[in-house]
Coordinates of all heavy atoms in Angstrom, one line a residue:
S248 N 103.0 120.3 101.8 CA 104.4 120.4 101.3 C 105.5 120.0 102.3 O 106.6 119.6 102.0 CB 104.7 121.9 100.9 OG 104.6 122.7 102.0
T249 N 105.1 120.0 103.6 CA 106.0 119.6 104.7 C 106.3 118.1 104.7 O 107.2 117.7 105.3 CB 105.6 120.1 106.0 OG1 104.3 119.6 106.3 CG2 105.5 121.6 106.1
V250 N 105.4 117.3 104.1 CA 105.6 115.8 104.2 C 105.9 115.2 102.8 O 106.1 114.0 102.7 CB 104.4 115.1 104.8 CG1 104.2 115.5 106.2 CG2 103.1 115.4 104.0
M251 N 105.9 116.0 101.7 CA 106.2 115.4 100.4 C 107.5 114.6 100.3 O 107.5 113.6 99.7 CB 106.2 116.6 99.4 CG 104.8 117.0 99.1 SD 104.8 118.1 97.6 CE 103.1 118.5 97.5
R252 N 108.5 115.1 101.1 CA 109.8 114.4 101.1 C 109.7 113.0 101.7 O 110.4 112.1 101.3 CB 110.8 115.2 101.8 CG 110.5 115.4 103.3 CD 111.5 116.2 104.1 NE 111.0 116.7 105.3 CZ 110.7 116.0 106.4 NH1 110.8 114.7 106.3 NH2 110.2 116.5 107.5
L253 N 108.7 112.8 102.6 CA 108.5 111.5 103.2 C 108.0 110.4 102.2 O 108.2 109.2 102.3 CB 107.6 111.6 104.4 CG 108.0 112.4 105.6 CD1 106.9 112.5 106.6 CD2 109.3 111.9 106.1
F254 N 107.3 110.9 101.2 CA 106.6 110.1 100.2 C 107.4 110.1 98.8 O 106.8 109.7 97.8 CB 105.2 110.5 100.0 CG 104.3 110.2 101.2 CD1 103.9 111.2 102.0 CD2 103.8 108.9 101.4 CE1 103.1 111.0 103.1 CE2 103.0 108.7 102.5 CZ 102.7 109.7 103.4
D255 N 108.6 110.6 98.8 CA 109.4 110.7 97.6 C 109.5 109.4 96.8 O 109.4 109.4 95.6 CB 110.8 111.2 97.8 CG 110.8 112.7 97.9 OD1 109.8 113.4 97.5 OD2 111.8 113.3 98.4
D256 N 109.7 108.3 97.4 CA 109.9 107.0 96.7 C 108.6 106.3 96.4 O 108.7 105.2 95.8 CB 110.8 106.1 97.6 CG 112.2 106.7 97.8 OD1 112.6 107.4 96.9 OD2 112.8 106.4 98.8
W257 N 107.5 106.8 96.8 CA 106.2 106.2 96.5 C 105.7 106.6 95.1 O 105.8 107.8 94.8 CB 105.2 106.5 97.6 CG 105.5 106.0 98.9 CD1 106.4 106.5 99.8 CD2 104.8 104.9 99.5 NE1 106.3 105.7 101.0 CE2 105.4 104.8 100.8 CE3 103.8 104.0 99.2 CZ2 105.0 103.8 101.7 CZ3 103.4 103.1 100.1 CH2 104.0 102.9 101.3
Q258 N 105.1 105.7 94.4 CA 104.5 106.0 93.1 C 103.1 105.5 93.1 O 102.7 104.6 92.3 CB 105.3 105.4 92.0 CG 106.7 106.0 91.9 CD 107.4 105.8 90.6 OE1 106.8 105.3 89.7 NE2 108.6 106.2 90.5
E259 N 102.3 106.0 94.0 CA 100.9 105.6 94.2 C 100.0 106.8 93.9 O 100.2 107.9 94.5 CB 100.6 105.1 95.6 CG 101.4 103.8 96.0 CD 100.8 102.6 95.3 OE1 99.6 102.6 94.9 OE2 101.5 101.6 95.1
T260 N 99.0 106.6 93.0 CA 98.1 107.7 92.7 C 97.3 108.2 93.9 O 97.1 109.4 94.1 CB 97.1 107.2 91.6 OG1 97.9 106.8 90.5 CG2 96.2 108.3 91.2
L261 N 97.0 107.3 94.8 CA 96.2 107.7 96.0 C 97.1 108.6 96.9 O 96.5 109.5 97.5 CB 95.8 106.4 96.8 CG 94.8 105.5 96.1 CD1 94.5 104.3 97.0 CD2 93.5 106.3 95.9
I262 N 98.4 108.4 97.0 CA 99.2 109.2 97.8 C 99.3 110.6 97.1 O 99.2 111.6 97.8 CB 100.6 108.6 98.0 CG1 100.5 107.4 98.8 CG2 101.6 109.6 98.6 CD1 101.8 106.6 98.9
Y263 N 99.5 110.6 95.8 CA 99.5 111.9 95.1 C 98.2 112.7 95.3 O 98.2 113.9 95.5 CB 99.8 111.7 93.6 CG 101.1 111.2 93.3 CD1 101.3 110.2 92.2 CD2 102.3 111.5 94.0 CE1 102.5 109.7 91.9 CE2 103.5 111.0 93.6 CZ 103.6 110.1 92.6 OH 104.8 109.5 92.3
S264 N 97.1 112.0 95.3 CA 95.8 112.7 95.5 C 95.8 113.3 96.9 O 95.2 114.4 97.1 CB 94.7 111.7 95.4 OG 94.6 111.2 94.1
C265 N 96.3 112.7 97.9 CA 96.3 113.2 99.3 C 97.3 114.4 99.3 O 96.9 115.5 99.9 CB 96.8 112.2 100.3 SG 95.6 110.9 100.6
L266 N 98.4 114.3 98.8 CA 99.4 115.4 98.8 C 99.0 116.6 98.0 O 99.3 117.7 98.4 CB 100.8 114.9 98.3 CG 101.5 113.8 99.1 CD1 102.7 113.3 98.4 CD2 101.8 114.3 100.5
Q267 N 98.2 116.4 97.0 CA 97.7 117.5 96.2 C 96.3 118.0 96.8 O 95.7 118.9 96.2 CB 97.5 117.1 94.8 CG 98.8 116.8 94.1 CD 98.6 116.1 92.7 OE1 97.5 115.8 92.3 NE2 99.7 115.9 92.0
T268 N 95.9 117.5 97.9 CA 94.6 117.8 98.6 C 93.4 117.7 97.6 O 92.4 118.4 97.8 CB 94.6 119.2 99.2 OG1 94.8 120.2 98.2 CG2 95.8 119.3 100.2
V269 N 93.5 116.8 96.7 CA 92.3 116.5 95.8 C 91.4 115.5 96.4 O 90.2 115.7 96.4 CB 92.8 115.9 94.4 CG1 91.7 115.5 93.6 CG2 93.7 116.9 93.7
M270 N 91.9 114.5 97.1 CA 91.1 113.5 97.7 C 91.9 112.9 98.9 O 93.1 112.7 98.8 CB 90.8 112.4 96.6 CG 90.0 111.2 97.1 SD 89.6 110.1 95.7 CE 91.2 109.6 95.1
G271 N 91.2 112.6 100.0 CA 91.9 112.0 101.1 C 92.5 113.1 102.0 O 92.4 114.3 101.8
K272 N 93.2 112.6 103.0 CA 93.8 113.5 104.0 C 95.2 113.0 104.4 O 95.5 111.8 104.2 CB 93.0 113.6 105.3 CG 91.6 114.3 105.0 CD 90.9 114.4 106.4 CE 89.6 115.1 106.1 NZ 89.6 116.5 106.4
V273 N 96.0 113.9 104.9 CA 97.3 113.5 105.4 C 97.3 113.8 106.9 O 96.9 114.9 107.3 CB 98.5 114.3 104.7 CG1 99.8 113.9 105.4 CG2 98.5 113.9 103.3
F274 N 97.7 112.9 107.7 CA 97.8 113.0 109.2 C 99.2 112.9 109.7 O 100.0 112.1 109.1 CB 96.9 112.0 109.9 CG 95.5 112.0 109.5 CD1 95.0 111.2 108.6 CD2 94.6 112.9 110.2 CE1 93.6 111.3 108.2 CE2 93.3 113.0 109.9 CZ 92.8 112.2 108.9
V275 N 99.6 113.7 110.6 CA 100.9 113.7 111.2 C 100.8 113.8 112.7 O 99.8 114.2 113.3 CB 101.8 114.9 110.7 CG1 102.0 114.8 109.2 CG2 101.1 116.2 111.0
T276 N 101.9 113.5 113.4 CA 101.9 113.6 114.9 C 102.5 115.0 115.3 O 102.4 115.4 116.5 CB 102.7 112.5 115.5 OG1 104.0 112.4 114.9 CG2 102.0 111.2 115.3
K277 N 103.3 115.6 114.4 CA 103.9 116.9 114.7 C 103.5 117.8 113.6 O 103.9 117.5 112.4 CB 105.4 116.9 114.9 CG 105.8 116.2 116.1 CD 107.3 116.0 116.2 CE 108.1 117.3 116.2 NZ 109.5 117.1 116.2
S278 N 102.8 118.9 113.8 CA 102.4 119.8 112.7 C 103.6 120.6 112.1 O 103.6 120.9 110.9 CB 101.3 120.7 113.1 OG 101.7 121.5 114.3
N279 N 104.6 120.9 112.9 CA 105.8 121.5 112.4 C 106.9 120.5 112.3 O 107.3 119.9 113.2 CB 106.2 122.7 113.2 CG 106.4 122.4 114.7 OD1 106.0 121.3 115.1 ND2 107.1 123.2 115.4
N280 N 107.5 120.5 111.1 CA 108.6 119.5 110.8 C 108.3 118.1 111.1 O 108.9 117.4 112.0 CB 109.9 119.9 111.5 CG 111.1 119.2 111.0 OD1 111.1 118.7 109.9 ND2 112.1 119.2 111.8
P281 N 107.2 117.5 110.5 CA 106.8 116.1 110.8 C 107.9 115.1 110.3 O 108.5 115.3 109.3 CB 105.5 116.0 110.0 CG 105.5 117.0 109.0 CD 106.4 118.1 109.5
K282 N 108.0 114.1 111.1 CA 109.0 113.0 110.8 C 108.2 111.7 110.3 O 108.9 110.8 109.8 CB 109.8 112.6 112.1 CG 110.5 113.8 112.7 CD 111.8 114.0 112.0 CE 112.7 115.0 112.7 NZ 113.1 116.1 111.9
S283 N 106.9 111.7 110.5 CA 106.1 110.6 110.0 C 104.8 111.1 109.6 O 104.3 112.1 110.1 CB 106.0 109.5 111.1 OG 105.4 110.0 112.3
A284 N 104.1 110.3 108.7 CA 102.9 110.8 108.2 C 102.0 109.6 107.7 O 102.5 108.5 107.4 CB 103.1 111.7 107.0
L285 N 100.7 109.8 107.7 CA 99.8 108.8 107.2 C 98.9 109.5 106.1 O 98.3 110.5 106.3 CB 98.8 108.4 108.3 CG 97.6 107.6 107.9 CD1 97.9 106.3 107.3 CD2 96.7 107.4 109.1
A286 N 99.0 109.0 104.9 CA 98.2 109.5 103.8 C 97.0 108.5 103.8 O 97.1 107.3 103.6 CB 98.9 109.4 102.4
F287 N 95.8 109.0 103.9 CA 94.6 108.2 104.1 C 93.5 108.6 103.1 O 93.1 109.7 103.0 CB 94.1 108.4 105.5 CG 93.0 107.4 105.9 CD1 93.3 106.1 106.2 CD2 91.7 107.8 105.9 CE1 92.3 105.2 106.5 CE2 90.6 107.0 106.2 CZ 90.9 105.7 106.5
V288 N 93.1 107.6 102.3 CA 92.0 107.8 101.3 C 91.0 106.6 101.5 O 91.4 105.4 101.4 CB 92.5 107.8 99.9 CG1 91.4 107.9 98.9 CG2 93.5 108.8 99.7
D289 N 89.8 106.9 101.8 CA 88.7 105.9 102.0 C 89.1 104.8 103.0 O 89.1 105.1 104.2 CB 88.4 105.3 100.6 CG 87.1 104.5 100.6 OD1 86.2 104.8 101.5 OD2 86.9 103.6 99.9
C290 N 89.5 103.7 102.6 CA 89.9 102.6 103.5 C 91.4 102.2 103.3 O 91.9 101.2 103.8 CB 89.0 101.4 103.4 SG 89.1 100.6 101.8
F291 N 92.1 103.1 102.6 CA 93.6 102.8 102.3 C 94.4 103.8 103.1 O 94.2 105.0 103.1 CB 93.9 102.9 100.8 CG 93.2 102.0 100.0 CD1 92.0 102.3 99.3 CD2 93.6 100.7 99.8 CE1 91.3 101.4 98.5 CE2 93.0 99.7 99.1 CZ 91.8 100.1 98.4
G292 N 95.4 103.3 103.8 CA 96.4 104.2 104.5 C 97.8 103.8 104.1 O 98.2 102.7 104.0
F293 N 98.6 104.8 103.9 CA 100.0 104.7 103.6 C 100.8 105.4 104.6 O 100.7 106.6 104.7 CB 100.3 105.2 102.2 CG 99.5 104.6 101.1 CD1 98.2 105.1 100.7 CD2 99.9 103.5 100.4 CE1 97.5 104.5 99.7 CE2 99.2 102.9 99.4 CZ 97.9 103.4 99.1

């Protein structure tokens, strides 16, 4: 929920899967109040 705002303008199913923790992972450099993020599924990164 802390990074959903970073992906507001994206309309990619793979990103939604990461944000909903269904499939893939989200990586950040700061765990509290992250300013950047990587949504990663299989071999795709956003």
